[in-house]
């Protein structure tokens, strides 16, 4: 029920109320200083993600000056299939690993919203199995790539409803935002609208990431 409610609300987000958010072109320009890798939420429209990825990328371009930025949209279904998050997990790891080999000086900002946060969690070795739209880990970023990840920006992260969070190596580089009442990341939360509110945190997230690069 929680999933259906959130998806129904998300479908409304494509309406006129949010239509003014611009969508950046998701391109992985070779060897920019920083690449923003974004995993969108379940059925989320937009280039990098209408609710989170697009506004966060726009904010990052304002906050991070003197460096070149590019973006990559994680290639996965972002639907309710049992393998969706696992497909995103594999694509994120494969892309970042390949990009790091091609561009050894490039750094990465990983962005994940809702199911996309599960994708990022899995990719750094924290299983989202058992969470809403989660999956077991199928791939993790290699140890040699870990220092190149400047920041993780997570929104509506479903593992939080299980009492889990990002710990260990990546903890100090992670901003994990759960809006009060968001039923996907707050155990017992009942405010579906909270799950759609994260564009309001784009500036906060970009400021955090800018301080890590």
């Amino acid at each position: 029920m929680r999933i259906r409610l959130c998806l129904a609300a998300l479908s409304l987000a494509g309406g006129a109320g949010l239509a003014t958010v611009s969508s950046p072109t998701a391109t992985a320009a070779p060897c920019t200083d920083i690449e923003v890798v974004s995993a969108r939420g379940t059925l989320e429209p937009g280039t990098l993600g209408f609710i989170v990825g697009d506004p966060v990328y726009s904010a990052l371009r304002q906050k991070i000056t003197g460096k070149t930025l590019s973006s990559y949209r994680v290639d996965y279904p972002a639907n309710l299939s049992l393998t969706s998050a696992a497909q995103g997990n594999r694509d994120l790891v494969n892309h970042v690993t390949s990009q790091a080999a091609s561009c050894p000086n490039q750094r990465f900002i990983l962005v994940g919203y809702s199911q996309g946060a599960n994708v990022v969690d899995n990719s750094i070795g924290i299983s989202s199995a058992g969470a809403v739209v989660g999956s077991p880990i199928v791939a993790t970023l290699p140890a040699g790539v870990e220092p190149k990840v400047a920041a993780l920006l997570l929104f509506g992260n479903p593992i939080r409803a299980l009492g889990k969070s990002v710990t260990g190596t990546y903890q100090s580089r992670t901003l994990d935002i759960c809006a009060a009442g968001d039923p996907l990341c707050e155990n017992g939360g009942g405010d579906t609208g909270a799950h759609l509110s994260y564009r309001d945190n784009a500036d906060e997230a970009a400021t955090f990431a800018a301080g890590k690069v």
Side-chain angles (χ1 to χ4, degrees), residues 102-114:
S102 299
C103 304
N105 295 321
Q106 191 172 57
R107 302 184 75 195
F108 301 91
I109 296 172
L110 307 184
V111 180
Y113 166 50
S114 193

Side-chain angles (χ1 to χ4, degrees), residues 1-73:
M1 177 61 72
R2 289 189 305 169
I3 299 175
R4 290 198 295 271
L5 286 172
C6 288
L7 292 179
L10 179 58
S11 69
L12 296 177
L18 296 180
T20 57
V21 177
S22 61
S23 296
T25 301
T27 57
C31 300
T32 55
D33 294 321
I34 300 165
E35 183 176 75
V36 180
V37 178
S38 180
R40 68 200 188 281
T42 306
L43 303 181
E44 185 186 11
T47 304
L48 299 177
F50 193 76
I51 303 292
V52 166
D54 292 347
V56 167
Y57 184 70
S58 295
L60 285 167
R61 294 185 67 181
Q62 296 295 318
K63 297 288 184 181
I64 299 175
T65 57
K67 297 180 185 293
T68 55
L69 269 69
S70 58
S71 61
Y72 177 77
R73 169 186 166 122

Side-chain angles (χ1 to χ4, degrees), residues 19 48 72 74 102 110 119 122 124 186:
L48 299 177
Y72 177 77
V74 174
S102 299
L110 307 184
V119 168
N122 283 11
I124 62 171
E186 180 183 299

Side-chain angles (χ1 to χ4, degrees), residues 42-184:
T42 306
L43 303 181
E44 185 186 11
T47 304
L48 299 177
F50 193 76
I51 303 292
V52 166
D54 292 347
V56 167
Y57 184 70
S58 295
L60 285 167
R61 294 185 67 181
Q62 296 295 318
K63 297 288 184 181
I64 299 175
T65 57
K67 297 180 185 293
T68 55
L69 269 69
S70 58
S71 61
Y72 177 77
R73 169 186 166 122
V74 174
D75 185 10
Y76 84 115
N79 60 23
L80 294 176
S81 69
L82 295 178
T83 62
S84 177
Q87 291 180 62
N89 173 195
R90 190 176 301 281
D91 182 73
L92 187 154
V93 170
N94 286 346
H95 172 77
V96 172
T97 302
S98 174
Q99 192 74 8
S102 299
C103 304
N105 295 321
Q106 191 172 57
R107 302 184 75 195
F108 301 91
I109 296 172
L110 307 184
V111 180
Y113 166 50
S114 193
Q115 183 177 173
N118 286 336
V119 168
V120 175
D121 293 331
N122 283 11
S123 299
I124 62 171
I126 299 175
S127 176
S128 66
V132 175
V133 289
S135 79
I137 295 169
V138 296
T140 55
L141 291 171
V145 172
E146 173 267 315
K148 300 176 185 291
V149 178
L152 284 74
L153 306 177
L154 306 176
F155 305 80
N157 189 354
I159 69 168
R160 291 185 51 160
L162 302 178
K164 299 173 66 175
S165 62
V166 174
T167 58
T169 303
Y170 291 95
Q171 185 174 8
S172 65
R173 288 173 267 170
T174 300
L175 180 66
D176 189 348
I177 301 174
C178 179
D182 182 345
L184 265 73

